[in-house]
Short mmCIF file of all heavy atoms in Angstrom, two decimals:
data_model
loop_
_atom_site.label_atom_id
_atom_site.label_comp_id
_atom_site.label_asym_id
_atom_site.label_seq_id
_atom_site.Cartn_x
_atom_site.Cartn_y
_atom_site.Cartn_z
N ILE J 228 10.09 -200.97 120.70
CA ILE J 228 9.14 -200.14 119.98
C ILE J 228 7.77 -200.51 120.52
O ILE J 228 7.39 -201.68 120.52
CB ILE J 228 9.20 -200.39 118.49
CG1 ILE J 228 10.61 -200.12 117.98
CG2 ILE J 228 8.19 -199.48 117.77
CD1 ILE J 228 10.80 -200.52 116.54
N GLU J 229 7.07 -199.52 121.01
CA GLU J 229 5.72 -199.81 121.52
C GLU J 229 4.72 -199.35 120.52
O GLU J 229 4.68 -198.19 120.11
CB GLU J 229 5.53 -199.12 122.86
CG GLU J 229 6.31 -199.79 123.98
CD GLU J 229 6.06 -199.28 125.39
OE1 GLU J 229 5.36 -198.20 125.44
OE2 GLU J 229 6.55 -199.80 126.33
N LEU J 230 3.88 -200.25 120.17
CA LEU J 230 2.84 -200.00 119.15
C LEU J 230 1.47 -200.13 119.76
O LEU J 230 1.18 -201.11 120.46
CB LEU J 230 3.01 -201.01 117.99
CG LEU J 230 4.36 -201.06 117.33
CD1 LEU J 230 4.56 -202.39 116.62
CD2 LEU J 230 4.61 -199.90 116.43
N ALA J 231 0.62 -199.10 119.53
CA ALA J 231 -0.69 -199.21 120.01
C ALA J 231 -1.70 -199.28 118.85
O ALA J 231 -1.48 -198.67 117.82
CB ALA J 231 -1.04 -197.97 120.88
N PHE J 232 -2.73 -200.10 119.08
CA PHE J 232 -3.71 -200.35 117.93
C PHE J 232 -5.07 -199.98 118.36
O PHE J 232 -5.39 -199.94 119.58
CB PHE J 232 -3.63 -201.77 117.53
CG PHE J 232 -2.27 -202.20 117.05
CD1 PHE J 232 -1.35 -202.77 117.92
CD2 PHE J 232 -1.90 -202.01 115.71
CE1 PHE J 232 -0.09 -203.09 117.47
CE2 PHE J 232 -0.63 -202.37 115.30
CZ PHE J 232 0.27 -202.93 116.14
N GLY J 233 -5.95 -199.73 117.36
CA GLY J 233 -7.32 -199.35 117.64
C GLY J 233 -8.18 -200.57 117.97
O GLY J 233 -9.09 -200.45 118.78
N THR J 234 -7.88 -201.71 117.37
CA THR J 234 -8.80 -202.89 117.54
C THR J 234 -7.94 -204.11 117.86
O THR J 234 -6.78 -204.21 117.56
CB THR J 234 -9.62 -203.12 116.27
OG1 THR J 234 -8.65 -203.49 115.23
CG2 THR J 234 -10.41 -201.95 115.84
N ASP J 237 -6.54 -205.66 114.55
CA ASP J 237 -5.23 -205.10 114.11
C ASP J 237 -4.11 -205.65 114.95
O ASP J 237 -2.99 -205.97 114.48
CB ASP J 237 -5.28 -203.58 114.23
CG ASP J 237 -6.18 -202.98 113.16
OD1 ASP J 237 -6.47 -203.69 112.16
OD2 ASP J 237 -6.60 -201.85 113.31
N LEU J 238 -4.33 -205.64 116.24
CA LEU J 238 -3.28 -206.09 117.14
C LEU J 238 -2.89 -207.53 116.80
O LEU J 238 -1.64 -207.84 116.70
CB LEU J 238 -3.77 -206.06 118.61
CG LEU J 238 -2.86 -206.66 119.65
CD1 LEU J 238 -1.57 -205.81 119.75
CD2 LEU J 238 -3.50 -206.71 121.03
N ALA J 241 -0.88 -207.72 113.65
CA ALA J 241 0.45 -207.23 113.79
C ALA J 241 1.35 -208.25 114.52
O ALA J 241 2.44 -208.53 114.15
CB ALA J 241 0.41 -205.89 114.59
N VAL J 245 5.15 -209.47 113.48
CA VAL J 245 6.32 -209.12 114.33
C VAL J 245 6.14 -209.70 115.72
O VAL J 245 5.16 -209.36 116.39
CB VAL J 245 6.56 -207.58 114.44
CG1 VAL J 245 7.80 -207.19 113.68
CG2 VAL J 245 5.38 -206.81 114.07
N LEU J 252 -4.11 -203.43 124.23
CA LEU J 252 -4.08 -203.18 122.77
C LEU J 252 -2.70 -202.78 122.31
O LEU J 252 -2.53 -202.10 121.33
CB LEU J 252 -5.13 -202.10 122.41
CG LEU J 252 -6.59 -202.62 122.47
CD1 LEU J 252 -7.55 -201.48 122.17
CD2 LEU J 252 -6.78 -203.68 121.40
N ARG J 253 -1.74 -203.16 123.07
CA ARG J 253 -0.35 -202.75 122.75
C ARG J 253 0.52 -203.93 122.44
O ARG J 253 0.38 -205.01 123.02
CB ARG J 253 0.25 -202.00 123.96
CG ARG J 253 -0.39 -200.70 124.20
CD ARG J 253 0.18 -200.05 125.48
NE ARG J 253 -0.22 -198.67 125.48
CZ ARG J 253 0.51 -197.71 124.85
NH1 ARG J 253 1.66 -198.01 124.24
NH2 ARG J 253 0.13 -196.47 124.83
N LEU J 254 1.52 -203.63 121.55
CA LEU J 254 2.49 -204.65 121.21
C LEU J 254 3.83 -204.03 121.45
O LEU J 254 4.15 -202.96 120.98
CB LEU J 254 2.35 -205.02 119.73
CG LEU J 254 3.33 -206.05 119.16
CD1 LEU J 254 3.21 -207.38 119.84
CD2 LEU J 254 3.15 -206.17 117.66
N VAL J 256 7.75 -204.46 120.95
CA VAL J 256 8.74 -205.19 120.16
C VAL J 256 10.14 -204.88 120.59
O VAL J 256 10.55 -203.71 120.53
CB VAL J 256 8.58 -204.87 118.65
CG1 VAL J 256 9.53 -205.73 117.86
CG2 VAL J 256 7.16 -204.98 118.23
N VAL J 265 13.38 -199.56 113.27
CA VAL J 265 12.03 -198.99 113.30
C VAL J 265 11.41 -199.14 111.92
O VAL J 265 10.22 -199.60 111.74
CB VAL J 265 12.04 -197.52 113.71
CG1 VAL J 265 10.63 -196.90 113.64
CG2 VAL J 265 12.65 -197.37 115.09
N VAL J 268 10.30 -202.73 111.17
CA VAL J 268 9.06 -203.08 111.81
C VAL J 268 7.88 -202.45 111.15
O VAL J 268 6.87 -203.10 110.86
CB VAL J 268 9.11 -202.64 113.30
CG1 VAL J 268 7.71 -202.77 113.95
CG2 VAL J 268 10.11 -203.47 114.06
N LEU J 269 8.02 -201.19 110.75
CA LEU J 269 6.94 -200.52 110.11
C LEU J 269 6.61 -201.08 108.72
O LEU J 269 5.44 -201.27 108.36
CB LEU J 269 7.25 -199.00 109.92
CG LEU J 269 7.19 -198.16 111.21
CD1 LEU J 269 7.54 -196.74 110.96
CD2 LEU J 269 5.82 -198.29 111.86
N ASP J 270 7.67 -201.49 107.99
CA ASP J 270 7.46 -202.16 106.72
C ASP J 270 6.67 -203.45 106.91
O ASP J 270 5.77 -203.74 106.16
CB ASP J 270 8.80 -202.47 106.05
CG ASP J 270 9.46 -201.19 105.50
OD1 ASP J 270 8.77 -200.13 105.45
OD2 ASP J 270 10.66 -201.22 105.17
N LEU J 272 4.56 -204.10 109.08
CA LEU J 272 3.19 -203.87 109.46
C LEU J 272 2.34 -203.14 108.40
O LEU J 272 1.30 -202.69 108.71
CB LEU J 272 3.21 -203.06 110.75
CG LEU J 272 3.81 -203.73 112.04
CD1 LEU J 272 3.75 -202.77 113.18
CD2 LEU J 272 3.05 -204.99 112.34
N ASP J 273 2.95 -203.04 107.19
CA ASP J 273 2.32 -202.30 106.17
C ASP J 273 0.84 -202.79 105.96
O ASP J 273 0.56 -204.00 105.91
CB ASP J 273 3.06 -202.52 104.84
CG ASP J 273 2.69 -201.47 103.85
OD1 ASP J 273 2.31 -200.36 104.24
OD2 ASP J 273 2.83 -201.78 102.62
N GLY J 274 -0.12 -201.84 105.96
CA GLY J 274 -1.52 -202.22 105.75
C GLY J 274 -2.28 -202.32 107.05
O GLY J 274 -3.51 -202.34 107.03
N ILE J 275 -1.62 -202.41 108.17
CA ILE J 275 -2.36 -202.48 109.47
C ILE J 275 -2.39 -201.04 110.06
O ILE J 275 -1.41 -200.33 110.04
CB ILE J 275 -1.63 -203.41 110.48
CG1 ILE J 275 -1.57 -204.80 109.87
CG2 ILE J 275 -2.36 -203.39 111.82
CD1 ILE J 275 -0.75 -205.78 110.65
N GLU J 276 -3.60 -200.70 110.52
CA GLU J 276 -3.75 -199.32 111.06
C GLU J 276 -3.12 -199.21 112.44
O GLU J 276 -3.38 -199.98 113.34
CB GLU J 276 -5.17 -198.94 111.12
CG GLU J 276 -5.30 -197.41 111.32
CD GLU J 276 -6.71 -196.96 110.89
OE1 GLU J 276 -7.27 -197.58 110.03
OE2 GLU J 276 -7.18 -195.97 111.48
N LEU J 277 -2.22 -198.25 112.56
CA LEU J 277 -1.44 -198.05 113.80
C LEU J 277 -1.97 -196.78 114.50
O LEU J 277 -2.10 -195.72 113.92
CB LEU J 277 0.03 -197.81 113.36
CG LEU J 277 1.16 -198.07 114.35
CD1 LEU J 277 1.04 -199.48 114.92
CD2 LEU J 277 2.45 -197.90 113.67
N ALA J 278 -2.31 -196.92 115.79
CA ALA J 278 -2.81 -195.75 116.53
C ALA J 278 -1.62 -194.88 117.06
O ALA J 278 -1.71 -193.68 117.14
CB ALA J 278 -3.72 -196.20 117.71
N GLU J 279 -0.59 -195.53 117.54
CA GLU J 279 0.49 -194.84 118.19
C GLU J 279 1.78 -195.60 118.13
O GLU J 279 1.76 -196.87 118.12
CB GLU J 279 0.07 -194.66 119.66
CG GLU J 279 0.73 -193.50 120.35
CD GLU J 279 0.31 -193.47 121.87
OE1 GLU J 279 -0.92 -193.40 122.10
OE2 GLU J 279 1.19 -193.57 122.69
N LEU J 280 2.90 -194.86 118.03
CA LEU J 280 4.14 -195.55 118.04
C LEU J 280 5.12 -194.82 118.94
O LEU J 280 5.27 -193.56 118.91
CB LEU J 280 4.73 -195.57 116.58
CG LEU J 280 6.15 -196.18 116.45
CD1 LEU J 280 6.20 -196.99 115.16
CD2 LEU J 280 7.27 -195.14 116.47
N THR J 281 5.78 -195.54 119.86
CA THR J 281 6.78 -194.98 120.74
C THR J 281 8.06 -195.81 120.69
O THR J 281 7.96 -197.01 120.75
CB THR J 281 6.28 -194.96 122.21
OG1 THR J 281 4.94 -194.80 122.19
CG2 THR J 281 7.00 -193.91 123.00
#
Side-chain angles (χ1 to χ4, degrees):
Chain J
I228 302 171
E229 286 184 353
L230 306 158
F232 300 92
T234 64
D237 287 341
L238 173 68
V245 250
L252 284 175
R253 291 175 165 275
L254 178 64
V256 184
V265 177
V268 169
L269 287 179
D270 287 348
L272 295 178
D273 199 27
I275 299 173
E276 196 162 329
L277 202 54
E279 204 183 300
L280 176 142
T281 325

